[in-house]
Each structure stands twice: as structure tokens, then as C-alpha cells.
Amino acid sequence: MENTASGTESGSGAVTAGDDAFASGRPVLFRGATVVTMDPGAGVLPDTDVLVRGTTIESVGKALEAPADAAVIEAAGALLLPGFVDTHRHMWQAPLRGIGVDWTMAQYIEWLMIKWGPLFRPEDIYAANYMTMVEAVNDGITTVTDWSHGSRTPEHADAAVDALFEAPGRARFAYGNVFAPDLGWVVDGRVDQLLKARFSGRPDQLVTLQMAVDIIYGPTDDAREALKFARDRDLPVSTHAGSFGLLGDEQIKFLQETGSLSPSYTLVHASSLSDDAFRIIAETGAQLSISAESELNGGMGYAATTQARRFGVPVSLSLDTEVWGSGDMFSGMRATANADRALAHLHSQQGGEALAINPLRAQDVLEYATLGGARALGLDGIIGSITPGKRADLVMLRLDAPAKTPVNNPAGHIVFHAGRGDVDTVLVDGRVLKHRGTLIGVDQSRARRLVDESLQYLRSQIPDEEWEQALNPSAGATAS
Ligand SMILES: [Zn+2]
């Protein structure tokens, strides 16, 4: 007889921590879902079962036999998809969520990076990272790259890593330090120490390491040494690139000259680069992390999906910072589609023609947000699609609300109609972390308390006048 997950519901209708419905080691069977596999060989499979055993997707098929001890999730009418992958988030900025919704890039640099960033203590970084991972898992983002350029001391980096290990979900710690005067910190021993202490000998752990290196001072010796350090250790690298007025083609040429660009190199934004730069990126196999909400609102340039398509450069999506953006992959996907299509129509109309076909499809955008993210992190062999043998990072969307039915185009529905409120069930590495809309085994109140305390401290260090100016930016209040 099948044990249904609903058989252990509490009075409130939610499966709670301590219930044995999803006890460790117990298989989980999704019954009768519309499975949006994102596996190029499988496509969308209606009325299909997915069996998860241990950390892994064991089988995908019709009317699978349920193991005797399986927890069965009735999924008829629901969409099952691989978890979203965010390839660039400055998690440490979470306590200042929303303060910069009206900022331009210059205002972000003035207030966040120059004035307020140096105020963050290790415990602020911990609180922010912990909260962001809880939020991400709750929203169906099962893997997040912590683009940790607030790690200005080894203690800050330790706090960031502690939070990623203690919070639910899969994470990539991208070690950065934008507050250092040069890139000497990469080679001074702190990265090696962290590698040895936290990231050696456990290649399949949920948290892995890479470098987040910005080349803001040009082609210097310390930049060459930092890039060589990463190459010598086979560490993937990510760099902000192609941001209007700040970072341009010369950076791409420097990365090419140093032999740094490769499929394990991710360029964030790339939204104001020439076609020549894109030729270099395509030749080297480097990948993109596009944050359309940030690029469009902050003024970094146009989302680079158009050039990526023309030159055959792989794309992933990211949510950058919640200081101004949503932290919501559904919004990120829609912003990406809107940006690409608006530009395509504009170009066509400027030539006196109406565009006949949208070149970017919803399916492409969903691919960027799932398999594309996994590929950018070098994890596409284990996550990014619902494929037997891959790790079970899964999201089930319930679509019972009036606005959510019927579903005529499952991938399009996820990109244009679904939202965070539809995320019913989330698994990471086979572990059920959310079911029936409720997180399981996650201390949300602790996350909220830590971030509240952090904000209280940060506010105590920021003059009221400065805070008010940041909330209501005017031309006179911006940095030169
Ligand atoms: Zn960024």
C-alpha cells in the first residue's frame, strides 16, 4: 500500500518538521505531474511520475511502481520542473532590501559600495546569506551563487561560508572582496586556507567554491597573478563585465591575453560590449550571467541575450542584488524576455518593418534559468534537468488558483504566468525542504530575527539624512 505524504498532515494541513513523511532515506514519488524536464531528449511529459531515491532521480515514466516505503505526492494538475539556478547574487546585501529601488548604477556605487558596504560585520554577512538561502529555497531557486564581494576579511568570508553550509539549498561560494585596494588578497593565503579547511576532499558537497574577481584597476600585475592563481587551482571565476561607462571591451581583451577565458569563466552582465568582444567570448567558450532587472533599471546597458544568440554564447540568469531587484526568478525570466523582445521589435520598427517572429522563445528563457545556470557552474552533469541519474533538485508548482488554469504551454506558463506563490514543493539533493507551501526543517524566524538585528545595527551607523537621501535620490545627492 502507498503511503501518501498527506497521510501525515498536521491539523493545519502542512507536513511539519519531525513528521516522518519525508524522513531521510525514504523514497519520494511524484504521481501524475506535467514534467517539464528541460532534458533536450525528453521535453515536456504529461501525466508522468518521477521517483526520487536518496539524493537522486531514479526514474521518470508512466505509472511507476511505488516502493513500499515511498512518500507519494499526488501531482495531477501540477508542473514539475528542475530547480532554478541563480548564477550571481550579492547575498550579503539582503538587510538593505529595497533601499535602492530608484537608484541608478552611480547611486548604487556611492551609497552601497562606498558608504555602507564597509559597515558590514561578519555577523551581518552571516545573517544576510542565511536569509537569502531560506528565501531562495522557498521560491524554487535550489542553487544560488553567492557572489560574495563583501568578504573583506577572512572572518567575513568564514561567516558567509558558515551560513551557506547551515542554510538549506545548494550554493556556490564565489569568493570576492571589492573593498581591497588591489587583488593581492587572492594570493595572500586566505583563499588557500578556506579551500583546505572547507572545500577539500568533498567534491559532491552542497556548497562549492569559486572566485569572484573584478578587474576594476585594469591590466595590473596583481590581476595577472590573481587570474593565474585561479587557473592553477582549476577554480571557476566570475567577473562583472560590460557595464556601461564602467567596464568595457578592454577587460575582455585582458582576460583573453591572460588565457583566463574558458567554459568555467562567467561574465556577469556583458551588456555593453562590442561584437568583437563577443567574438572573443564565443571563441573561448566563456558563459554569461544576465541580470536583466539590474541591467535595465540601473543603466548598465541592454540585456545581452541578443548578442549571445548571434554569437552562440551560453546564457544563465541571475538576480544580482535585492537592494534594488526582486530576488525572484519568475521576475528575472520575465524581465529577460521583455528586454530581448522590446529590443528586437525596436530594431525592426526602426527599419520600418514589424517584427514577424519573436526570436527568443519562452522555452529558451526557462532553459537559461535552469540548465543554463547549471552549465555556467559546471554542474550540468548533476543538476539542471529532470533526468534519471541526476541529483533531485526539483520544484513543483501547484496551479489551483483561477488565474493559473488552463495550462496550454507548460514552459510558457512558468515564464509568463507562474509566481513565487505557486511554489508548493521543493527538493534539494533529494531532501524535501518545502511541501504544501510550507518550509520543512527550516528556522525562518531565526533568519528573520538575524536580519532584523543586522539592519538595526547598520541603521545605527548610517546618518538619518543619508538614509533619507538614498530613499529619495535626487540629482544633487548623487556621487560625482
Ligand atoms: Zn553584481
Side-chain angles (χ1 to χ4, degrees):
M1 194 185 131
E2 293 179 357
N3 301 297
T4 62
S6 57
T8 56
E9 277 180 11
S10 67
S12 65
V15 177
T16 54
D19 279 332
D20 66 356
F22 302 117
S24 176
R26 195 169 165 184
V28 176
L29 179 67
F30 289 90
R31 181 72 88 195
T34 298
V35 182
V36 182
T37 67
M38 302 315 291
D39 182 326
V44 177
L45 306 171
D47 191 19
T48 293
D49 300 349
V50 173
L51 176 63
V52 174
R53 201 190 289 269
T55 59
T56 305
I57 299 167
E58 184 172 284
S59 47
V60 178
K62 300 276 186 192
L64 298 178
E65 194 175 327
D69 57 343
V72 176
I73 296 175
E74 296 299 338
L79 294 173
L80 191 66
L81 62 145
F84 297 123
V85 179
D86 175 351
T87 56
H88 148 245
R89 180 103 63 112
H90 306 300
M91 285 189 182
W92 62 276
Q93 299 174 350
L96 299 178
R97 186 196 305 278
I99 183 74
V101 292
D102 294 321
W103 288 356
T104 61
M105 189 66 194
Q107 288 157 337
Y108 170 86
I109 291 171
E110 179 193 0
W111 279 309
L112 199 82
M113 303 313 281
I114 296 174
K115 288 185 170 153
W116 301 345
L119 302 174
F120 281 69
R121 305 161 300 172
E123 54 260 55
D124 301 310
I125 306 269
Y126 179 95
N129 276 21
Y130 192 87
M131 171 62 106
T132 304
M133 282 309 300
V134 170
E135 170 195 344
V137 165
N138 192 45
D139 296 350
I141 304 172
T142 50
T143 301
V144 189
T145 301
D146 174 28
W147 221 100
S148 192
H149 60 355
S151 291
R152 61 190 168 86
T153 70
E155 290 72 32
H156 286 74
D158 280 341
V161 171
D162 284 345
L164 298 181
F165 274 100
E166 289 165 25
R170 194 182 297 277
R172 170 67 56 85
F173 177 67
Y175 200 158
N177 177 10
V178 78
F179 299 109
D182 56 40
L183 288 169
W185 65 271
V186 175
V187 300
D188 73 4
R190 70 183 77 183
V191 179
D192 272 339
Q193 200 176 3
L194 192 69
L195 256 174
K196 193 170 155 216
R198 312 296 291 272
F199 297 97
S200 67
R202 289 170 292 181
D204 66 342
Q205 65 190 25
L206 283 176
V207 187
T208 47
L209 178 80
Q210 70 165 75
M211 298 307 299
V213 176
D214 274 339
I215 317 287
I216 46 182
Y217 301 110
T220 56
D221 286 344
D222 57 284
R224 282 176 216 283
E225 280 169 27
L227 292 165
K228 182 174 183 305
F229 175 95
R231 288 198 305 279
D232 288 348
R233 287 156 183 76
D234 274 335
L235 284 173
V237 182
S238 179
T239 297
H240 287 105
S243 180
F244 183 81
L246 296 169
L247 301 164
D249 281 13
E250 57 296 340
Q251 188 186 60
I252 303 299
K253 286 182 191 132
F254 174 61
L255 294 174
Q256 180 196 31
E257 280 161 23
T258 53
S260 302
L261 294 175
S262 73
S264 68
Y265 208 106
T266 306
L267 298 162
V268 174
H269 305 309
S271 42
S272 55
L273 297 174
S274 72
D275 286 356
D276 284 344
F278 262 86
R279 274 185 206 99
I280 294 171
I281 296 168
E283 277 165 19
T284 57
Q287 310 200 45
L288 302 190
S289 173
I290 289 181
S291 317
E293 283 188 339
S294 276
E295 289 140 20
L296 296 173
N297 286 279
M300 295 177 219
Y302 235 82
T305 45
T306 309
Q307 280 170 306
R309 190 164 53 244
R310 278 175 52 218
F311 292 96
V313 174
V315 173
S316 67
L317 298 189
S318 60
L319 301 167
D320 199 351
T321 174
E322 290 179 78
V323 163
W324 57 26
S326 66
D328 171 9
M329 191 57 87
F330 296 97
S331 294
M333 289 193 293
R334 290 201 262 277
T336 304
N338 295 345
D340 189 280
R341 291 173 174 187
L343 191 64
H345 287 290
L346 181 67
H347 282 162
S348 190
Q349 288 163 11
Q350 282 171 337
E353 300 272 342
L355 188 68
I357 291 176
N358 278 321
L360 182 69
R361 303 305 174 97
Q363 172 77 24
D364 301 330
V365 179
L366 187 57
E367 203 266 356
Y368 297 163
T370 52
L371 191 57
R375 194 182 294 125
L377 297 182
L379 297 176
D380 49 317
I382 62 164
I383 57 167
S385 66
I386 301 183
T387 304
K390 280 195 177 182
R391 297 302 179 91
D393 288 11
L394 302 172
V395 172
M396 188 178 85
L397 304 177
R398 277 269 178 225
L399 302 169
D400 302 330
K404 306 296 178 184
T405 56
V407 178
N408 292 307
N409 176 340
H413 195 96
I414 295 166
V415 176
F416 282 100
H417 298 277
R420 290 190 273 201
D422 303 320
V423 175
D424 177 277
T425 300
V426 178
L427 275 71
V428 177
D429 219 35
R431 192 174 148 213
V432 181
L433 296 174
K434 184 178 185 181
H435 185 55
R436 293 179 183 267
T438 302
L439 286 169
I440 298 173
V442 177
D443 193 347
Q444 291 179 78
S445 58
R446 174 172 179 262
R448 207 169 285 130
R449 178 174 54 76
L450 291 174
V451 167
D452 283 346
E453 287 169 5
S454 170
L455 177 60
Q456 242 174 44
Y457 168 76
L458 294 167
R459 277 293 283 113
S460 76
Q461 304 297 304
I462 298 170
D464 287 344
E465 191 190 352
E466 206 170 284
W467 184 261
E468 285 303 317
Q469 280 178 357
L471 274 172
N472 299 288
S474 61
T478 52
S480 55

